[in-house]
Amino acid sequence: MKRRLSRTAVPVACVLALVSTQALTSATTATARDRVPKPEAVIGWTPCADFKLATYEQIADYYRKLDKASDRMQLVEIGKTSEGRPQLMAIVSSEKNLKPENLRRYQETSVRLSQGDKLPEKEARALAKSGKAIAWVDFGIHSTEVAGHQTAPQFAYDLVTSETPEARAIRDNVITLLVPNVNPDGGTKVAEWYRKNLGGPYQDANFPELYQKYAGHDNNRDWYMFNLQETQNVGRQLFHEWIPQVMHNVHQSAVFPARISIPPYEDPLNPNIHPEVVRGVNLVGDAMGQRLDREDKVGALARQSYDIWWNGGARTAPYYHNQIGILTETAHASATPRYYDPATFPKTFADGTSTSEPSVFYPSPWPGGEWHLSQSCDYIKTASWAMLRVASDDREALLNGVAKMARDGARNGAKTTYVIPADQADFPTATKLVDKLRWNNIRVERAVNAFTVGDRRYPAGSYLVREAQPYRAAVLDLLNPQKYPDRRLYPGGPLEPPYDITGYTLSFQMGVTVDKLSQNVRASTVEVDWPAVPKGVVAGAPKYAYALDPRVNDSAAAVNALLAAGDKVARSDGEVTTRTGKLPAGTFLVTPGAGTDQRVTDLATRLGLSIAAVDAKPANVTALAAPRIGLYDGFNNYDEGWTRLILDQFGFGYERLTNAAVRAGDLRAKFDTIVLPDATYNSMRNGRAAGSLPPEYTGGMTDAGVANLKAFVAAGGTVVTLNKAAELPIKAFGVPVRDVTEGVEETRYNIPGSVLNLNVDADDPVAAGFGSTASAFVADGPAFEVADGAQGVSVAATWPKTNLLKSGFLLGEDVIGGKAAVVTAKVGEGQVVMIGFKPQHRAQSHGTYRLLFNAMYLGGQG
């Protein structure tokens, strides 16, 4: 039988030509690969070698050389770090995809589909068919988790040079965005610290300071707030410029003794997140686990520790933008190898699952033994390749999915509008809330003219946020209360601990009025790109003083600038009459002097303040000087860092106060106000254990330092304590106040990060500028009871007896209800202000900043 030539058969001449072409291509590819430097040729050793850590500068140098040598990679600078280093991002794909016209088209396609609520479905499907998946892998967010940033050079090299069919398909179908270090400053600090101590007694000692300038390890808690420069750099790419469909946020703190923690995660699930996101997370997690086991990398654990509730992390914030966010945590955050004895392993994980017997979410337990940094790096690489394989195989479906979720958001939110009124007292802070919403790429409009809804007239300049938009989940989550479920480890037992906090509604934390309206509001509006500060107004030249509203946070920034310039400032003890109306007690009064008029005008313009003229001196005023502030910095305390950020933002001068300085004494000669950030009494007094770090980093303020603090107050100084730091004056200063939560079991009292209602006495100087109520962020803080008949004690704020919870979870209303939340107690000639929560929580709680500001100003009044 004569064999017929099939349609796919190729003539011999063509076959020979094809072979010749393939040989030429293979030779060309080999030559191109030979031109690409291996990491060890640039850094000096194979990445992830024992006892070796590369600095960010070395890794960045390698990325630059790799970019120069290959057409499969483009390196871009995405911004500067908090300490001025250039932060880099690599774009890796095929040579064809990286041609400028193609890359621009694929980037635009990703953004159009992600924001495609108004895109016709047919057009969206056509875009998805022709588009490329955008995938993200970042390293080094926590600098002490060294495997991530040490993996970055080798992973980039492998992705650029590998010629396996899988790697080629990934480069053809996926545009991968690689961030070699989310926190470059810390990457270098930790590497240099390890090198400095290598071979000595402190070789494996933890880095003793905040490795991110303000947040340290808490830098992964800024992803809806965008306070940090690094968060802004990365967030601009994640949520604005590229909007990848999948992302991998690499960490290194696996639940012991597992070797890597992967999805699926555990409950609870935040109901605002689209179900397609959750399914995608599970899909990628399963792919990671399967690939790890196929490569004999045992010990992958799922459904432990990490939930899908809280917003604000690098892998959780993407959920609210319809992105599949993946966090993995590998084991052994050290360059020093170690042997792990299985006999010392815990028998079970926290939920009772065996650490040695196979189970559904831990099917291949790790048996123990020796472990090296290179193994952690290999697990990271495998997990990342698994995610990229899913992105490649599922490219079109992922792109279609984000468009569908955008349409769902528009449909499901069609009947709701949020209005941020322009006539609220602290409109500059309301404008900052709009800025945070825009960083989240939430669509915001500004009213050109006044408009009416029902019986409420909203002035021009008010902002509107329509729930009908692609990232509806982010709108819901940031502008509505959370209701965290009551999850117990067993009936009547303690609350199952959440991964992070349970309630964080941003409008509540920032103290901004947002009206939620159950209708699609009609108004003449313009779309907001980035909000401008409100128009500053100075209402005439005063006969007596300029008045700055104490209800406005940025009045403090203006006052600090004026004091620094030598202007005279006072505060009113009562209500003040101005040409434009009355202002409450605590109003700042600025006496006109040489150059004051121009300074006041400039500050009003820059900060968006409405500054009024006062023609007659009020009955009682108190002179205000810039307080000399000491901010206690006794150890690696991120609450100190966040506090420092706020002081910098609002122009407060301060000096960081070390344990050695507290022990040295003579504090009153140097300071008017000392701030103790959140910390326990014992941690402040005892510090870090001797031998755990070089001597200069160990030990606390000691009993001598505590005595020096008491002497400081007795001599007329002001101590301000935040949250649990109130333990120090209660236990050591003899104030007639007790903490009613001390010793109470967590089955009775548990506030795992929530927003509570707060009653405020605005006549108290610490509460100047507040109304009768406020919202406060609380995380298991103290609550105060003043002794009967106590003298020299005032209460600025109290927890309501009922209806305490505003957002999150609360157990123990009967414990703290009706008790004091903010107390001032006289000690000798001075005073202690105890704020029983974090009024500056992660630089988010703008609504209670003024409690801290007012308390610090007490040291400068007289």
Side-chain angles (χ1 to χ4, degrees):
M1 181 177 175
K2 197 171 183 179
R3 184 168 294 180
R4 301 183 66 179
L5 188 67
S6 70
R7 289 184 180 180
T8 57
V10 181
V12 172
C14 293
V15 171
L16 292 173
L18 180 60
V19 170
S20 176
T21 301
Q22 287 176 336
L24 179 62
T25 301
S26 178
T28 303
T29 301
T31 303
R33 189 164 62 249
D34 290 341
R35 289 199 304 266
V36 176
K38 292 184 177 181
E40 54 266 34
V42 176
I43 294 172
W45 61 84
T46 301
C48 302
D50 289 343
F51 306 110
K52 298 283 190 180
L53 289 180
T55 64
Y56 174 71
E57 284 74 15
Q58 289 176 294
I59 295 169
D61 183 42
Y62 176 70
Y63 265 57
R64 292 188 181 98
K65 287 181 168 59
L66 182 59
D67 170 42
K68 187 176 181 180
S70 176
D71 292 335
R72 296 172 179 174
M73 176 172 165
Q74 290 186 13
L75 194 63
V76 296
E77 182 180 321
I78 59 175
K80 293 289 194 291
T81 68
S82 296
E83 297 181 9
R85 288 178 172 85
Q87 189 159 19
L88 302 178
M89 181 181 78
I91 307 168
V92 180
S93 194
S94 69
E95 296 91 330
K96 181 180 178 181
N97 290 344
L98 291 182
K99 288 183 177 180
E101 63 276 13
N102 292 337
L103 188 62
R104 183 168 53 252
R105 175 162 56 87
Y106 295 137
Q107 181 179 8
E108 290 173 353
T109 295
S110 179
V111 172
R112 286 187 68 193
L113 289 170
S114 181
Q115 300 175 352
D117 53 316
K118 298 176 182 177
L119 197 63
E121 186 173 353
K122 184 177 180 180
E123 185 177 349
R125 289 193 174 279
L127 284 171
K129 193 173 187 65
S130 63
K132 303 296 181 183
I134 312 298
W136 173 283
V137 183
D138 65 62
F139 304 98
I141 188 168
H142 291 325
S143 302
T144 50
E145 298 174 2
V146 295
H149 45 102
Q150 299 304 301
T151 301
Q154 189 67 52
F155 186 75
Y157 174 81
D158 293 345
L159 188 59
V160 165
T161 64
S162 176
E163 293 300 336
T164 66
E166 178 185 57
R168 290 175 181 171
I170 287 171
R171 288 194 298 268
D172 285 343
N173 293 318
V174 181
I175 295 168
T176 304
L177 309 177
L178 298 180
V179 177
N181 202 317
V182 177
N183 182 32
D185 299 337
T188 290
K189 290 177 183 177
V190 169
E192 291 178 342
W193 170 261
Y194 183 76
R195 292 177 181 181
K196 174 184 175 182
N197 292 288
L198 187 63
Y202 307 111
Q203 172 179 296
D204 296 314
N206 289 326
F207 185 71
E209 299 172 352
L210 295 178
Y211 54 68
Q212 198 285 334
K213 182 177 180 181
Y214 292 112
H217 201 76
D218 219 35
N219 64 338
N220 194 27
R221 302 297 185 268
D222 189 44
W223 294 90
Y224 58 70
M225 203 66 187
F226 296 95
N227 281 309
L228 305 177
Q229 189 61 49
E230 295 83 355
T231 318
Q232 292 183 7
N233 296 342
V234 171
R236 190 179 293 110
Q237 306 304 316
L238 273 176
F239 302 145
H240 293 261
E241 299 292 334
W242 283 94
I243 319 182
Q245 292 79 53
V246 293
M247 66 88 68
H248 181 196
N249 179 226
V250 172
H251 290 251
Q252 193 183 9
S253 185
V255 181
F256 188 78
R259 297 296 86 191
I260 184 170
S261 296
I262 60 173
Y265 304 119
E266 64 176 351
D267 286 319
L269 169 65
N270 190 311
N272 296 326
I273 300 169
H274 198 287
E276 277 198 41
V277 169
V278 183
R279 296 290 189 188
V281 170
N282 295 345
L283 173 69
V284 175
D286 286 341
M288 287 178 167
Q290 186 178 64
R291 189 176 186 122
L292 286 160
D293 276 324
R294 285 175 175 172
E295 296 179 5
D296 292 325
K297 296 183 175 79
V298 301
L301 173 70
R303 292 293 296 271
Q304 289 283 343
S305 184
Y306 309 101
D307 60 35
I308 306 185
W309 178 267
W310 165 73
N311 200 335
R315 65 98 185 177
T316 58
Y319 299 153
Y320 304 88
H321 298 79
N322 302 330
Q323 296 166 300
I324 297 169
I326 303 296
L327 169 140
T328 61
E329 298 266 10
T330 52
H332 188 77
S334 175
T336 303
R338 179 181 169 186
Y339 178 82
Y340 293 91
D341 184 354
T344 65
F345 289 1
K347 298 297 182 184
T348 67
F349 295 109
D351 68 348
T353 300
S354 172
T355 61
S356 59
E357 297 296 324
S359 55
V360 172
F361 294 104
Y362 194 52
S364 54
W366 183 58
E370 198 170 276
W371 195 265
H372 299 261
L373 176 61
S374 59
Q375 292 170 277
S376 298
C377 296
D378 286 343
Y379 274 55
I380 290 169
K381 288 185 286 186
T382 294
S384 298
W385 276 104
M387 186 193 75
L388 295 182
R389 175 65 180 267
V390 171
S392 177
D393 291 350
D394 223 18
R395 174 193 61 81
E396 188 174 342
L398 287 170
L399 292 168
N400 271 318
V402 294
K404 177 185 181 298
M405 288 186 277
R407 293 193 298 270
D408 289 348
R411 182 184 67 250
N412 296 334
K415 295 182 179 179
T416 305
T417 306
Y418 303 80
V419 179
I420 303 172
D423 53 4
Q424 53 189 297
D426 193 0
F427 192 54
T429 295
T431 304
K432 293 178 184 179
L433 171 62
V434 173
D435 183 72
K436 305 306 179 186
L437 298 179
R438 287 300 301 133
W439 269 110
N440 281 274
N441 211 348
I442 291 171
R443 293 174 183 166
V444 182
E445 303 164 39
R446 182 175 55 82
V448 176
N449 303 308
F451 62 97
T452 301
V453 182
D455 58 359
R456 173 69 157 101
R457 180 111 173 132
Y458 291 100
S462 298
Y463 291 102
L464 290 80
V465 179
R466 302 187 191 275
E467 199 173 280
Q469 57 176 293
Y471 310 134
R472 176 175 179 257
V475 176
L476 289 169
D477 209 52
L478 296 180
L479 299 181
N480 289 277
Q482 284 78 44
K483 297 179 181 179
Y484 191 81
D486 190 334
R487 297 173 57 84
R488 309 296 177 116
L489 296 173
Y490 53 86
L495 183 73
E496 184 178 300
Y499 174 63
D500 200 82
I501 61 178
T502 62
Y504 43 84
T505 309
L506 195 51
S507 51
F508 295 169
Q509 285 199 77
M510 294 186 73
V512 174
T513 298
V514 178
D515 294 338
K516 183 177 181 179
L517 307 176
S518 299
Q519 61 188 94
N520 187 0
V521 174
R522 299 185 65 180
S524 176
T525 66
V526 293
E527 193 170 312
V528 174
D529 185 11
W530 295 101
V533 296
K535 184 178 180 180
V537 176
V538 179
K543 296 178 181 178
Y544 168 66
Y546 291 102
L548 278 73
D549 193 337
R551 299 171 296 176
V552 178
N553 281 348
D554 277 313
S555 289
V559 165
N560 291 334
L562 292 165
L563 288 170
D567 287 296
K568 293 182 179 180
V569 182
R571 298 199 79 172
S572 70
D573 295 344
E575 193 176 64
V576 175
T577 300
T578 77
R579 288 184 196 167
T580 56
K582 293 184 181 295
L583 291 176
T587 293
F588 297 98
L589 301 166
V590 183
T591 303
T596 302
D597 295 346
Q598 188 61 52
R599 284 190 289 274
V600 166
T601 299
D602 291 346
L603 287 165
T605 301
R606 178 167 66 84
L607 299 171
L609 301 177
S610 294
I611 298 177
V614 178
D615 292 325
K617 182 179 180 179
N620 294 298
V621 298
T622 302
L624 177 65
R628 299 170 301 162
I629 298 171
L631 178 62
Y632 176 60
D633 181 22
F635 47 90
N636 185 346
N637 182 359
Y638 63 74
D639 199 55
E640 178 272 333
W642 289 120
T643 307
R644 186 161 26 89
L645 173 62
I646 294 166
L647 299 188
D648 285 346
Q649 288 176 336
F650 285 87
F652 284 92
Y654 63 91
E655 181 180 322
R656 295 172 78 173
L657 185 59
T658 64
N659 281 316
V662 177
R663 292 193 299 264
D666 197 25
L667 299 173
R668 189 68 185 96
K670 304 171 185 174
F671 302 107
D672 302 306
T673 298
I674 291 176
V675 178
L676 303 180
D678 181 35
T680 65
Y681 177 42
N682 284 336
S683 66
M684 289 185 283
R685 183 179 59 178
N686 301 331
R688 290 175 286 203
S692 63
L693 286 163
E696 61 268 29
Y697 296 107
T698 60
M701 62 175 66
T702 72
D703 288 336
V706 174
N708 288 337
L709 279 176
K710 185 176 181 181
F712 164 79
V713 180
T718 298
V719 165
V720 182
T721 68
L722 307 181
N723 208 42
K724 293 179 182 178
E727 285 184 25
L728 190 149
I730 289 175
K731 293 185 176 182
F733 289 6
V735 296
V737 175
R738 77 177 185 95
D739 173 14
V740 300
T741 72
E742 185 178 14
V744 178
E745 295 291 331
E746 65 174 1
T747 53
R748 283 199 61 219
Y749 176 65
N750 195 325
I751 311 176
S754 303
V755 183
L756 306 188
N757 287 303
L758 185 67
N759 291 334
V760 182
D761 179 3
D763 291 329
D764 190 292
V766 177
F770 282 85
S772 59
T773 60
S775 302
F777 178 85
V778 183
D780 290 332
F784 308 117
E785 185 174 77
V786 181
D788 291 339
Q791 300 296 310
V793 180
S794 64
V795 176
T798 306
W799 300 119
K801 289 186 177 180
T802 58
N803 298 319
L804 268 72
L805 182 63
K806 199 164 188 178
S807 181
F809 180 89
L810 165 67
L811 180 64
E813 186 173 81
D814 61 319
V815 175
I816 68 171
K819 304 301 182 182
V822 181
V823 173
T824 302
K826 290 287 292 181
V827 176
E829 297 299 314
Q831 58 209 329
V832 177
V833 182
M834 295 173 286
I835 303 175
F837 50 91
K838 296 182 184 180
Q840 70 337 346
H841 167 67
R842 290 175 176 163
Q844 297 177 13
S845 299
H846 290 241
T848 47
Y849 281 3
R850 293 191 303 281
L851 291 170
L852 174 60
F853 296 170
N854 290 334
M856 291 190 300
Y857 279 138
L858 290 178
Q861 291 184 190

